[in-house]
Amino acid sequence: MDKREFLRTAGGALAGALGSASLGLLFTPAQLLAFSRLPVDELAGRADFWDVLRAKYLVPADYVHLEHGYYSMQSQPVLERFIGHVRAVNAQSSRYMRTVQGTNKARVQARLAALAGCSPEELIITRNTTESLDTVVSGFDWKAGDEAVMAVHDYGAMLDQFALMGRRWGVVNRTVTVPLDPRSDDEIVQVYANAITPRTRLLMVCHMINITGHVLPVKKICDMAHARGVPVMVDGAHAFAQLDFRIPDLGCDFYGASLHKWLGTPLGAGVLYVRRDAIEKLWPMYGDEGQPATSIAKLNHTGTHPVHTDLAIEDAINFHEEIGIQRKEARLRWLQQYWTTKVRGVPRVRLFTPSDPTRTGAIANVGIDGMKPGDLATALMDRFKIFTVAIDTAGVTGVRVTPQLFTTTAELDAFVRAITQLAA
């Protein structure tokens, strides 16, 4: 096959799979030709591929940014389209809101559902993971003495929400400690199984623990919990659009995620999945008598909100799909492994992330014995111009390090040198 025929065939297949709107945001046809045949594991470390992506971002020049886990900047193509949506909605104002707002949101919701591998009738757009999971937790018909199971390593806002349920309804919260470097999946599953009692109404589990980057065996935990009659809610804040999976394949009842982390949307975009047969059991946070009890729309009474953010989700999906989820997952794990293998075993350096690569993604956490996490984060920024975030909770005492796809090995080498010097 000559070059012209390959481009026509490959480009046509890609356009059919992704939609023509997704093409041209990142790669030219020539670049597609050069990279499309490379295995994802080989491509993960190819700087020439990822430098193309880096050029699509305004990367800070005065410091090394290693805290993309909180909020990862939009690419320039997505940002420009977002700004265009803001202008277009503003120009039409009420007419937009009263005529096409709902239709457009339904279209974006369908794109998100396809990305998640579920039905559009099982998914809604929210503002973030916290809102998504709070919608589920507050929607339960709790009774005094009911129990919920969660881990001490779960996100603080979610632990706060369960604490609120305890004060308000008398819910008993049973917390477990997830092993930082487990020997097997069964070891983790058993930790959760030991906390379940006949009064357990809900189990919460992280898909990827935000402070350590530990990817948990969610499917096995769900199977165990369901065998005991307990529904499972998954915090997928850091897994969605970073790991290659379909939500229904996990077997969970509820799944919440943020889209401004790994999908690259504007701030204030999230998603909530509720398995179809679990929708009717949830009370909505806000009344909406126009929606039937079996419709997930009852959980999405948002009122007037920034609809241009909803529109930009579609642009972010296009950009994400042009990169490819398998490429993203391989690259992010490769970057994490690149630096963690260089500091693991260095005297006084302690890693709080599993050593098994299959249990990890982009995120890792590193500390130095005798140095407070806040002091470490400050030293990294003040002395080495490297931005991270301090974590000091649940036995994890280090800084969270979260590279992005466009992070370079030179930047990670600078971080390794900094950690080594500080440890010495």
Side-chain angles (χ1 to χ4, degrees):
M1 183 182 295
D2 63 24
K3 178 177 179 180
R4 181 176 299 176
E5 178 62 12
F6 174 83
L7 287 174
R8 185 191 67 78
T9 305
L14 194 59
L18 307 184
S20 59
S22 68
L23 297 178
L25 289 174
L26 180 56
F27 298 112
T28 66
Q31 289 165 337
L32 277 175
L33 175 64
F35 297 124
S36 62
R37 291 178 173 175
L38 293 178
V40 293
D41 290 339
E42 178 182 341
L43 204 60
R46 287 283 297 262
D48 53 347
F49 179 87
W50 300 106
D51 284 347
V52 174
L53 180 74
R54 188 179 177 92
K56 301 296 183 180
Y57 290 83
L58 289 180
V59 182
D62 55 339
Y63 64 93
V64 175
H65 193 340
L66 293 179
E67 216 309 76
H68 295 282
Y70 185 10
Y71 162 47
S72 184
M73 67 186 76
Q74 300 163 71
S75 67
Q76 286 301 109
V78 174
L79 176 61
E80 291 305 316
R81 295 191 182 207
F82 171 57
I83 293 171
H85 296 316
V86 174
R87 295 183 186 280
V89 171
N90 185 68
Q92 297 183 56
S93 61
S94 296
R95 186 181 182 192
Y96 176 90
M97 302 296 284
R98 292 193 179 279
T99 57
V100 296
Q101 173 196 184
T103 301
N104 287 345
K105 186 172 183 178
R107 184 187 70 250
V108 176
Q109 185 170 307
R111 287 291 307 278
L112 268 174
L115 189 65
C118 67
S119 164
E121 285 72 40
E122 296 176 305
L123 179 144
I124 55 174
I125 298 171
T126 64
R127 291 179 297 175
N128 48 61
T129 309
T130 300
E131 180 180 282
S132 296
L133 301 184
D134 280 357
T135 297
V136 174
V137 176
S138 64
F140 264 62
D141 196 11
W142 296 105
K143 301 291 189 300
D146 286 345
E147 296 181 358
V149 174
M150 65 217 66
V152 296
H153 300 108
D154 285 332
Y155 188 53
M158 297 317 307
L159 296 178
D160 288 345
Q161 180 69 6
F162 278 106
L164 176 62
M165 297 299 100
R167 293 197 306 273
R168 185 175 184 184
W169 304 117
V171 175
V172 177
N173 297 314
R174 298 171 61 87
T175 57
V176 303
T177 300
V178 178
L180 295 177
D181 199 7
R183 298 181 299 273
S184 67
D185 288 348
D186 291 342
E187 181 182 356
I188 301 171
V189 174
Q190 193 59 49
V191 166
Y192 283 94
N194 291 342
I196 293 177
T197 77
R199 303 206 67 168
T200 305
R201 292 280 312 283
L202 180 64
L203 184 152
M204 177 174 71
V205 62
C206 275
H207 197 165
M208 179 187 290
I209 296 176
N210 83 94
I211 59 176
T212 65
H214 188 173
V215 178
L216 299 184
V218 172
K219 179 64 166 64
K220 293 181 179 179
I221 293 171
C222 289
D223 289 347
M224 175 276 298
H226 288 161
R228 291 161 170 79
V230 177
V232 179
M233 180 179 75
V234 178
D235 180 344
H238 289 281
F240 193 82
Q242 180 184 165
L243 304 180
D244 184 14
F245 68 97
R246 293 163 53 90
I247 292 178
D249 292 342
L250 299 175
C252 61
D253 303 88
F254 316 100
Y255 193 101
S258 296
L259 305 180
H260 49 252
K261 296 182 184 293
W262 298 106
L263 189 58
T265 71
L267 273 171
V271 63
L272 170 63
Y273 161 86
V274 181
R275 202 177 65 196
R276 193 185 303 270
D277 61 1
I279 295 172
E280 188 172 6
K281 304 170 187 176
L282 292 181
W283 287 94
M285 293 181 68
Y286 305 105
D288 191 345
E289 295 304 303
Q291 299 294 341
T294 55
S295 172
I296 197 171
K298 72 178 184 181
L299 305 176
N300 204 210
H301 192 132
T302 57
T304 306
H305 69 284
V307 295
H308 35 71
T309 297
D310 297 342
L311 295 173
I313 292 172
E314 195 166 28
D315 301 311
I317 291 174
N318 290 337
F319 193 80
H320 162 86
E321 289 184 333
E322 194 168 346
I323 301 169
I325 184 58
Q326 293 181 346
R327 290 171 177 168
K328 286 182 71 172
E329 179 177 341
R331 169 66 172 180
L332 291 168
R333 185 176 291 115
W334 185 90
L335 289 169
Q336 178 264 123
Q337 287 286 300
Y338 179 88
W339 75 264
T340 55
T341 55
K342 293 177 184 294
V343 302
R344 196 179 291 275
V346 172
R348 296 186 62 221
V349 173
R350 184 177 178 190
L351 282 163
F352 297 92
T353 298
S355 55
D356 181 354
T358 64
R359 299 186 187 279
T360 63
I363 298 172
N365 190 299
V366 63
I368 296 177
D369 289 341
M371 195 172 193
K372 294 180 179 178
D375 294 339
L376 176 54
T378 298
L380 285 168
M381 189 63 189
D382 290 351
R383 292 175 55 184
F384 302 96
K385 300 302 178 187
I386 299 173
F387 181 57
T388 59
V389 60
I391 303 293
D392 191 357
T393 184
V396 178
T397 53
V399 294
R400 185 178 75 178
V401 179
T402 315
Q404 244 297 1
L405 294 167
F406 50 75
T407 300
T408 65
T409 54
E411 291 172 325
L412 294 177
D413 287 338
F415 176 70
V416 169
R417 287 194 297 272
I419 288 292
T420 304
Q421 289 181 39
L422 290 170

